[in-house]
Amino acid sequence: MRGRMTMETIKLTIDNKQIEVEKGTTILGAARRMGIDIPTLCHMKLDDLNIENKPGGCRICVVEVQGRRNLSPACITKCDEGAVVRTHTPRVMNARRTVMEFILSDHPKDCLICPKSGNCELQNMAIRLGIREITGQEIAEMSTYRKDTSPSIIRDLDKCIMCRRCEMMCNEVQTVGALSAVNRGFMAVVAPAFEQNLEYSPCTYCGQCVAVCPTGALTEVDHTGDVLRAIADPSKTVVVQTAPAVRAALGEEFGMKPGSLVTGKLVSALKELGFDYVFDTDFAADLTIMEEGTELLARLGKFLNGDEDANIPILTSCCPGWVNFFEHNFPDLKDVPSTAKSPQQMFGAIAKSYFAGKINVSRKDMVVVSIMPCLAKKYESQRPEFSVDGNPDVDFSISTRELAHFIKQANIDFNNLPDADFDRPLGESTGAGVIFGNTGGVIEAAVRTAYELYTGKKLSRLDFDELRGMEGVRQATINFDGLPINIGIAHGLGNARKLLDDVRAGRSTFHAIEVMACPGGCIGGGGQPLHHGDSSILKARARAIYEEDKNKTIRVSHENPYIINLYKEFLGEPNSEKAHHLLHTHYFDKKAKIIVKQ
Amino acid sequence: MSSIKIELRKEDVDKINEICDSFGNEQSELINVLHKTQEHFGYLPAEIQEAIASKLNIPVAQVYGVVTFYSFFTMTPKGRHPISICMGTACYVRGAEKVLDEFKKELSLQVGQTTPDGKFSLSSLRCVGACGLAPVVLIGEKTYGRVAPDDVQDILKEYQ
Ligand code: SF4
Ligand code: SF4
Ligand code: SF4
Ligand code: FES
Ligand code: FES
């Protein structure tokens, strides 16, 4: 009878054990639930984020299903009632080796000097399957491909195994469409249109392709050598800033469990590395809230007065991947985002003006380094508008992964470092600055400050659970003392596109929208330790960020004493002329144009 | 990340738009759009792929992906004297491949390519329905039958 909604289930046997699963489950899914770890290469699934790559192309996951003539790829084969599956018969093992040998026959063997070595899924698979020789290598000629270096990303497609994870990320999750599978046979690779360099594509440098590439085909541009040289140069004062999401992930590179907060060790390590001042990007995040929050309240005031040019909703602008995206895809809306620079760039601008003045160092003798979970920040730091007479506000931006390598190379025993504190004045931050690392965090920080400034009242609670979570698009209404403020949140650029399409069509009912390019926000950034498809790692990092916020004595940006002082001593008011000059920017139309010759 | 500008003539843009419109600007019709466009222009250069992508609202990388996947799409213009060698069964059996090799050698050209001066291009065809004349070579509108590798030099001389 149909009285109750019951899930249709299926019973099957895998490796002699019975299991009952929901209809539609793949053999891979069922096996994983039983603790049977069928090897996979092209397949990747991030639960909770709705991200899955399942081209069924590599065939490393094949299993034997009784009664079927051919072996079946477990990642795309659905469970049948009564099926009898075997995952490690001689036939299966042989097929897996053959698949692996085939992939390796067109793969360079220079693992020793590959940037992915030790962290490469292909290498791990070769180890796991115990591959000792590659038969047939003499016959196959290796395909070669030119290297492509952009400001953020290196593409070394000799190492591409055509898993197409990057293509899925760029097209389906980010809807950027910079990458596509091109050519066929041995020459097949994933590349931008006309196999141009990434630089001449609509790439946003979000780095999500790098974050999922199982091999050394996609990696970040390494700037650690530049940083090492700057530190060694006695004429330079080297200042470092570290982004919020770094402290919640760096520990993973040293064997700690995901979600370990390593703020104190991180500061110690940076001091050991020889940076002259160790500061916190969270300070600049607080500053961003002052500028962006003030802009929000000004626009909101206009909007409530019925001003047509109020430009509501306001969009956050602290994520450079997102900025690149709207410059390419929504140039007609380029006046809608806040003009506030990202925290990284605000920090650079203040370090090389206010702080340089305070310690009496000239701009050209100061080097600002940033430690970021992000690859888009590399490109951002090189934007010409963020430099003065050719001297950039941020000289080098390195990723969490690069910092981990740097620490290891400097013989620092990270796990046993004592905790240390950030230097003053640019190292003091609030809980509001910390949560910038999570999706929803920027807008929560902005709400905390905007509410108190708008209503003149203290918030009775600081945790806005309605703004948190991993849902791709979220919305909430926050009551500003009788005034309902509608807030939208998107992470992942495909989700952002949905909200932007509404804004473009005049359908949006939001007053403010936060966008982060990376799924999960910066904790899932393209420069973070690799998650290898395990979304529980991202959730653990998110929890750690909220924990750090809770531990802070001050949790609203406008109460940061060093921020208050910065305005008093130097900037005047938020959105003052000086603040505008140093802390705000403008955007460009980067959409590809077709010019019609008459 | 830099913004890309491409130039096209008005009549070419109009033609591309007309073709896309005739397929309802459906993204799923991409292959048919590309076919029709190549029929008209003879080849599918980058500019034309950009215009199609923009009209159908799909990433140009995907258009390029399709163009490079199917061997009947080409990004190089045909030569002024396009040479096609029949590779149908009858021609093949009677030595078409040797004839093709001879053309390749004489012109230093691969199938699908065009000489740098734009004069000759080389392609292979399925049976052209003149099996009695096998092996058959077409140059522009002209048909050559019973071609032997030794004839190739003389044939090319006609186009000096
Ligand atoms: S960095 Fe982001 S936008 Fe660029 S190719 Fe990779 S996934 Fe696409
Ligand atoms: S570049 Fe990396 S992620 Fe993309 S298809 Fe190749 S191996 Fe897979
Ligand atoms: S979400 Fe964070 S890590 Fe990702 S591009 Fe934006 S700023 Fe960078
Ligand atoms: S992992 Fe199943 S086919 Fe690649
Ligand atoms: S096979 Fe060449 S014309 Fe028929």
Side-chain angles (χ1 to χ4, degrees), chain A residues 184 195 199 593 595 597, chain B residues 1 4 6 8 64 68-69:
Chain A
R184 45 196 313 173
E195 287 154 81
E199 221 178 327
K593 289 199 188 40
I595 299 163
K597 281 188 290 195
Chain B
M1 254 313 295
I4 294 157
I6 61 150
L8 275 173
Y64 178 74
T68 53
F69 187 81

Side-chain angles (χ1 to χ4, degrees), chain A residues 8 276 471 558:
Chain A
E8 233 187 298
D276 295 303
E471 197 84 11
H558 56 282

